[in-house]
Amino acid sequence: MQLTPRQHTVLTTIVEAYIGTARPVGSRAVAKASGLCLSSASMRNTMAELAEAGYLEQPHTSAGRVPTPKAFAHYFRNAPARAALADSEQRDIRDGLGSAGAELSAVLRHCSRLLSAHARQMGMVLAPEGNDVRWKSIDFVLVRPRTAMAVLVLEGGVIQNRLVDVDEAITRDDLTAYGNYLNHHYAGQTLSQARARILAELGGARRRLSRLYTRALTLARDAVAPLGERDLFCDGALHLLGQPEFSDAQALRELLRMLDDKKRLLELLERTMEAGGARIRFAAAEPGPGAGDYGLVSAPYGGAGAARGVIGVIGPLRMDYAKVVPVVDFTARMLTELLETRY
């Protein structure tokens, strides 16, 4: 449905009023705020037309109307250009990421806190896929007979420790030689690349290599086994609990169910991986059980065409997107720059 200028003005007025108050908006308030010289009957008719088209709904017995996800989608498709983030906020985000620590996990965890603090909603950061992180070095430490600790250092300061089985007769010098050999051949490759090569070479290693390096490949195979689920860092859930929308017990239960469903959050964020720049989604329109009235602003980080992860802010449907979108967009760009220069 193509909205008329009158319908667009009325809908814009209702959306902006609802963002500010979280309360149903009545026809009198719309008439006063919109500047339209309409009779009460004409205003009610226009609001009824918008409701019939799916842009407004009437909660319970309230005389006012609230905008639906469809209304918010229309509002932001036709909103004026977003203002840039204030210089002070840009400095705080840039300096905060730069001082978060050397390890990638510490940077990403602090990034979720910065998102939450500046957006006043819940911030989320989806870590890079472990199999796409590059191998920097591996060392083996004999911890007891028949058991060694493999210490695999990945780009970004990520360290992965795993216990691997070894022969009883193995020595510390053997383990040092294994590490030197593996680092010479596999450093700089992603884990998925290294794993594929190791498995391929291990098949013919007994024919081509000495027993020493066959053992090295065997240990490496165990040390670079596929990683588990991607890390998701979240901060600021209390911002959501303080919103008027979630004072209702049923709405609160749906919110907590959604936040507890890590798989669902991962799916929502991963849909942003192929898109550039900040994206807005209204989760009431998303498939799946427990979808409530909340919005998600997300953006990939890691470089154009080579996104490594996603950051996002989740909040009530009426959150101030004009404020949140620049926060998410700028933070994603700063995180990308940091990864490119540091790691």
Side-chain angles (χ1 to χ4, degrees):
M1 171 183 175
Q2 182 69 36
L3 298 187
T4 66
R6 174 194 292 182
Q7 291 170 332
H8 171 75
T9 300
V10 169
L11 184 61
T12 298
T13 302
I14 292 173
V15 169
E16 292 177 347
Y18 185 68
I19 288 175
T21 66
R23 295 176 181 173
V25 185
S27 58
R28 289 184 180 179
V30 179
K32 183 177 180 180
S34 67
L36 296 173
C37 297
L38 296 177
S39 66
S40 297
S42 295
M43 181 61 71
R44 285 194 296 271
N45 288 338
T46 301
M47 292 174 68
E49 292 167 355
L50 291 169
E52 186 176 352
Y55 290 96
L56 300 176
E57 59 186 9
Q58 188 172 20
H60 310 301
T61 58
S62 170
R65 304 294 178 109
V66 299
T68 64
K70 183 177 180 180
F72 277 93
H74 172 85
Y75 176 76
F76 289 106
R77 278 198 305 268
N78 296 277
R82 296 184 295 269
L85 205 59
D87 290 344
S88 59
E89 292 188 279
Q90 292 186 21
R91 285 194 301 272
D92 187 64
I93 293 172
R94 186 186 298 108
D95 295 346
L97 289 175
S99 62
E103 291 192 10
L104 180 59
S105 59
V107 173
L108 299 183
R109 184 175 292 106
H110 193 63
C111 183
S112 69
R113 294 175 186 147
L114 289 169
L115 285 169
S116 174
H118 286 271
R120 308 302 296 172
Q121 305 293 345
M122 191 175 89
M124 302 183 294
V125 179
L126 180 61
E129 168 63 50
N131 293 328
D132 292 331
V133 179
R134 296 190 180 278
W135 172 323
K136 292 191 70 175
S137 67
I138 192 169
D139 291 291
F140 298 97
V141 180
L142 191 63
V143 294
R144 58 177 179 267
R146 295 185 177 277
T147 304
M149 173 73 75
V151 182
L152 180 62
V153 180
L154 307 174
E155 67 177 358
V158 178
I159 299 176
Q160 178 182 325
N161 297 326
R162 286 189 176 174
L163 293 175
V164 294
D165 295 330
V166 296
D167 296 338
E168 188 172 15
I170 207 164
T171 67
R172 288 180 172 81
D173 289 341
D174 291 335
L175 293 176
T176 299
Y178 298 163
N180 291 339
Y181 169 77
L182 294 169
N183 290 327
H184 177 72
H185 286 83
Y186 299 104
Q189 298 184 22
T190 66
L191 283 191
S192 56
Q193 292 171 335
R195 185 181 304 116
R197 275 194 58 194
I198 287 169
L199 293 175
E201 293 181 11
L202 192 57
R206 290 178 178 82
R207 296 189 300 273
R208 298 184 291 103
L209 300 174
S210 69
R211 183 167 180 265
L212 180 75
Y213 296 131
T214 301
R215 288 161 120 190
L217 290 171
T218 302
L219 293 182
R221 177 197 60 194
D222 297 337
V224 299
L227 300 177
E229 199 173 53
R230 299 173 75 165
D231 286 331
L232 177 63
F233 301 96
C234 300
D235 194 88
L238 287 178
H239 287 308
L240 297 184
L241 299 180
Q243 301 288 349
E245 290 89 339
F246 304 118
S247 59
D248 176 75
Q250 178 60 29
L252 180 59
R253 279 194 295 271
E254 289 183 358
L255 171 69
L256 295 176
R257 186 184 304 117
M258 181 270 296
L259 296 180
D260 192 50
D261 188 353
K262 184 177 179 182
K263 181 179 179 182
R264 178 170 175 76
L265 292 177
L266 288 171
E267 289 174 351
L268 286 172
L269 289 173
E270 285 176 342
R271 293 178 194 176
T272 309
M273 290 290 287
E274 298 178 358
R279 307 270 294 193
I280 300 174
R281 286 188 173 85
F282 306 105
E286 298 284 350
D293 289 340
Y294 55 88
L296 171 70
V297 180
S298 56
Y301 66 85
R308 297 178 56 195
V310 181
I311 68 171
V313 166
I314 195 166
L317 188 63
R318 65 170 187 93
M319 67 176 163
D320 188 354
Y321 298 91
K323 165 70 174 177
V324 174
V325 171
V327 168
V328 172
D329 186 60
F330 181 79
T331 304
R333 288 190 282 115
M334 291 302 98
L335 184 55
T336 295
E337 288 185 13
L338 181 67
L339 293 178
E340 290 175 346
T341 56
R342 181 181 294 182
Y343 303 129

